[in-house]
Amino acid sequence: MPNKIDFNKDYPSIRKSDEFYKTALKLIPSATQTLAKGPQQNVKGIAPKYLQRGKGSHVWDVDGNEYIDYNMGIGPLSLGYSYDKVDQAIKEQLKDGITFSLMHPLEVEVAEMIHEIIPNAEAIRYSKTGADATTAAIRVARAFTKREKVLCCGYHGWHDWYISVTDRNHGIPQAVQDLTYTFNYNDIQSVVDSIDENTAAVILEPFVFEAPKDDFLFKLRDTCTKNGTLLIFDEMWTGFRIALGGAQEFFNVKADLATFSKAIANGMPISVLTGRKDVMSVLEKEVFFYTTFGGEALSLAAAKATINELRDKNVPEYLSKQGRKLKDGYNSIAKELGMDYTKCIGYECRSLMTFDSSVGNPLEMKSLVQQEMIKHGILWGGFHNMSFSHSDDDVDYTLNVYKEVLPVLKKAVDEKNVKGYLKGEPVEPVFRKVGNFNTKPAKKQ
Ligand SMILES: Cc1ncc(COP(=O)(O)O)c(C=O)c1O
C-alpha cells in the first residue's frame, strides 16, 4: 500500500522510482533536466525520484505515495497543480491549436495585461525559459549601451554569459568568460569597485532570501544610472509573487529591463522580457531574438488565465499570509526546543531553512530533516515555495510535522551524530550559493 500523508508512517516504498532511475542512469547524463529536481537534491534511498501526478498542493510519486509539496515545480506552480481555471483555458486553446504559422492574438492580449501590471513594462517580448529571457536582456543591454561587460550576483540560467562565473564553466570560450563578473548582494561598494565604462548591465534577483538593506536597490539604481549601465531585475522568483507587479512594485525601484518566467503560467513554459521602450527598441532590427515556439498559444492561454487569477484572488497576499504561518511556526518550534542553529528566513512567499555549521554539517542536517519530512508525507527541499493551493490544513499539518521532526534533529545534533541518523546519502551542494556568491569579482586595474 502506498503511503498517505500521515503520522507514524514508515518511509515510503520507492521501488518504481528506483527502477526509472536505473534506466535513466544508462541513457540520460546526470539523469535530470533540472538540477534542483535531481537525485542529488534528495536523500538517496529515502526520497522519491519521479512524480506522476499533482492536484492543488499535493503530489503523487510513481509508487503512489502522496506528499504535500513545498517545491512546487521549483517555482512555476503559483496557483497549484491541475488548477481548474488554468487547465480549462489550456483545454479550450487546445481545441483551436497549439502553434501557428502566423502571430496569435494572445501575444497581444497577454502583452496588454503585462503592460498594465508590471511597472515600466513599456515593451514586452516572450520566450520559453528563464535563461532565454535573461540572455536576451543581456544582449539587448549590450546592444543599447554598446558595451560588453556584465555584473551579476545570483543565478540566471545555463547560458554562456552567466554560467561562466560558476565552477561549471567548461565548454565556454575564455573570451566570453572574461566579460562577466560578480558582486555581493547588499554590498554597494562591491558594485562600485567593479563597474566601469565598459559595463553594459548589472543584473540581479532583487532579493533571494536576504532583504535589501541600507537602500541597496536605490543605490544600485543610482550607481547604474550615473555609469550609463542598465539595471536588469531577474524576477523569476519575485515576479507575481512578492507583489503582482514584482519587486519593482514592491520596492518602488525602477529597473531598465526585467525578466519573468516561473510564476506566470502555472507550469506552462513561457518567459517574458519587459522594459524601457527605447532600450527594447533594439529588438526591432539590431538584436536578433526569435524562436519557433515563442508565440506558442497553450502557454499564452495559461499565462492569461494564471495572471487573471493571481490578480483577482490577490494571490501574492495569500502566499505571504500562509508563508508567514510556516516561517513563524518553524522559528517558534525551533526556539522552544533551544535549537538556535536552525532558522526559517526570507520573505514569506518563499522562505528557506538554514542550518548553522557551528553544530554540524548543514547538508547533513538538511538531509535529516528532509528524510523525516518525507516519512510524514511532505516533499521538502529546505524551502517553503508557497502556492495558492497551500491550505490551512496543509500548513497546520506541516507545523505539527515540524514538531515531530525538529526534536529528531536536536537529538542527532546533541549526540553529534547527524550522519548516523541518515538512512541514505545526504544531499549535495549546488554551485548556487545563497550568500557570498562572489566567485569572480572584477579586479580594477
Ligand atoms: C533567478 C533565476 N533566473 C533564471 C533562471 C533560469 O530559468 P530557466 O531554468 O527557466 O532557464 C532561474 C531558474 O531557476 C532562476 O531561479
Side-chain angles (χ1 to χ4, degrees):
M1 271 290 282
N3 287 14
K4 292 254 170 293
I5 295 163
D6 204 352
F7 276 89
N8 306 316
K9 282 283 179 189
D10 206 348
Y11 301 98
S13 159
I14 53 167
R15 193 180 54 80
K16 281 194 188 158
S17 262
D18 281 340
E19 272 171 27
F20 279 110
Y21 185 52
K22 220 168 113 193
T23 311
L25 285 177
K26 290 185 212 148
L27 289 174
I28 304 176
S30 101
T32 183
Q33 327 303 320
T34 308
L35 196 57
K37 298 180 189 177
Q40 296 89 348
Q41 297 310 304
N42 296 287
V43 181
K44 279 202 194 113
I46 292 294
K49 295 185 181 69
Y50 292 88
L51 293 178
Q52 185 101 55
R53 185 165 76 84
K55 181 69 195 164
S57 58
H58 291 213
V59 287
W60 287 260
D61 70 14
V62 287
D63 289 277
N65 303 301
E66 182 180 355
Y67 307 88
I68 300 173
D69 187 358
Y70 284 107
N71 295 335
M72 299 310 279
I74 323 298
L77 279 304
S78 47
L79 295 171
Y81 291 94
S82 307
Y83 194 87
D84 286 343
K85 279 195 183 154
V86 180
D87 286 5
Q88 209 47 45
I90 296 169
K91 283 178 197 157
E92 282 303 312
Q93 182 55 46
L94 190 57
K95 286 186 205 155
D96 285 343
I98 304 169
T99 296
F100 296 89
S101 313
L102 294 175
M103 298 180 289
H104 193 277
L106 276 168
E107 294 171 45
V108 184
E109 280 183 54
V110 174
E112 280 181 313
M113 291 171 85
I114 291 173
H115 173 66
E116 217 172 85
I117 285 169
I118 303 293
N120 209 31
E122 295 167 359
I124 290 124
R125 282 288 305 268
Y126 307 106
S127 197
K128 285 282 118 196
T129 71
D132 284 356
T134 56
T135 299
I138 295 301
R139 190 180 289 173
V140 163
R142 283 174 165 158
F144 184 78
T145 60
K146 301 191 168 46
R147 299 174 179 188
E148 293 195 326
K149 235 172 85 176
V150 172
L151 303 181
C152 63
C153 95
Y155 176 76
H156 304 294
W158 73 275
H159 292 186
D160 283 6
W161 72 267
Y162 167 68
I163 277 299
S164 67
V165 302
T166 72
D167 57 7
R168 298 282 294 266
N169 59 0
H170 292 217
I172 300 173
Q174 191 61 45
V176 175
Q177 300 196 28
D178 289 345
L179 292 174
T180 307
Y181 297 90
T182 56
F183 62 94
N184 294 325
Y185 190 73
N186 269 337
D187 179 358
I188 194 67
Q189 197 56 43
S190 72
V191 181
V192 172
D193 287 347
S194 303
I195 204 165
D196 63 18
E197 67 286 347
N198 192 27
T199 308
V202 169
I203 180 168
L204 79 164
E205 293 180 70
F207 64 84
V208 182
F209 296 106
E210 187 180 338
K213 282 191 211 117
D214 301 332
D215 291 333
F216 176 68
L217 294 176
F218 292 95
K219 287 179 185 163
L220 201 55
R221 173 68 278 174
D222 200 39
T223 304
C224 287
T225 305
K226 285 190 179 130
N227 199 62
T229 296
L230 297 188
L231 177 62
I232 304 170
F233 277 181
D234 177 341
E235 298 233 39
M236 299 306 155
W237 277 103
T238 51
F240 297 90
R241 263 176 215 281
I242 189 70
L244 200 61
Q248 293 188 87
E249 177 188 321
F250 190 75
F251 295 113
N252 199 19
V253 182
K254 256 189 168 187
D256 298 299
L257 297 169
T259 59
F260 302 84
S261 182
K262 290 185 190 283
I264 314 175
N266 201 42
M268 290 295 278
I270 183 167
S271 56
V272 183
L273 169 64
T274 70
R276 274 168 48 186
K277 201 173 181 63
D278 58 336
V279 174
M280 295 275 282
S281 71
V282 297
L283 288 164
E284 301 282 357
K285 278 227 172 344
E286 298 96 313
V287 171
F288 192 93
F289 175 42
Y290 301 104
T291 181
T292 305
F293 296 113
E296 173 267 309
L298 293 188
S299 298
L300 285 163
K304 182 179 163 186
T306 302
I307 295 170
N308 272 333
E309 198 70 352
L310 293 172
R311 184 185 49 211
D312 295 351
K313 302 276 166 62
N314 196 356
V315 170
E317 191 179 283
Y318 183 86
L319 304 185
S320 176
K321 186 181 82 174
Q322 298 301 75
R324 179 179 299 275
K325 286 186 216 162
L326 282 172
K327 181 179 159 187
D328 291 352
Y330 184 95
N331 286 333
S332 73
I333 296 163
K335 194 165 174 218
E336 265 170 41
L337 290 164
M339 299 168 73
D340 58 358
Y341 47 83
T342 180
K343 286 195 171 50
C344 182
I345 63 162
Y347 285 89
E348 285 74 16
C349 57
R350 181 195 179 210
S351 54
L352 167 83
M353 268 52 69
T354 64
F355 301 93
D356 196 311
S357 58
S358 62
V359 296
N361 179 334
L363 287 173
E364 288 175 7
M365 290 192 264
K366 175 180 165 180
S367 301
L368 180 56
V369 174
Q370 184 188 69
Q371 168 185 300
E372 298 305 302
M373 298 296 280
I374 283 169
K375 185 175 170 182
H376 294 295
I378 297 181
L379 196 62
W380 185 97
F383 307 96
H384 300 133
N385 292 343
M386 301 309 294
S387 82
F388 192 54
S389 291
H390 282 113
S391 64
D392 286 343
D393 281 352
D394 289 335
V395 168
D396 291 347
Y397 176 81
T398 304
L399 290 175
N400 282 328
V401 170
Y402 281 137
K403 283 183 194 153
E404 299 275 316
V405 168
L406 287 183
V408 177
L409 176 65
K410 182 179 160 64
K411 189 161 182 280
V413 167
D414 289 349
E415 293 171 11
K416 296 192 172 30
N417 185 27
V418 175
K419 207 166 182 184
Y421 280 78
L422 284 178
K423 298 190 184 301
E425 289 168 48
V427 301
E428 291 172 20
V430 275
F431 61 79
R432 179 181 187 175
K433 297 175 189 150
V434 164
N436 282 329
F437 194 91
N438 199 9
T439 53
K440 202 179 156 216
K443 300 265 183 310
K444 270 208 165 158
Q445 305 302 316

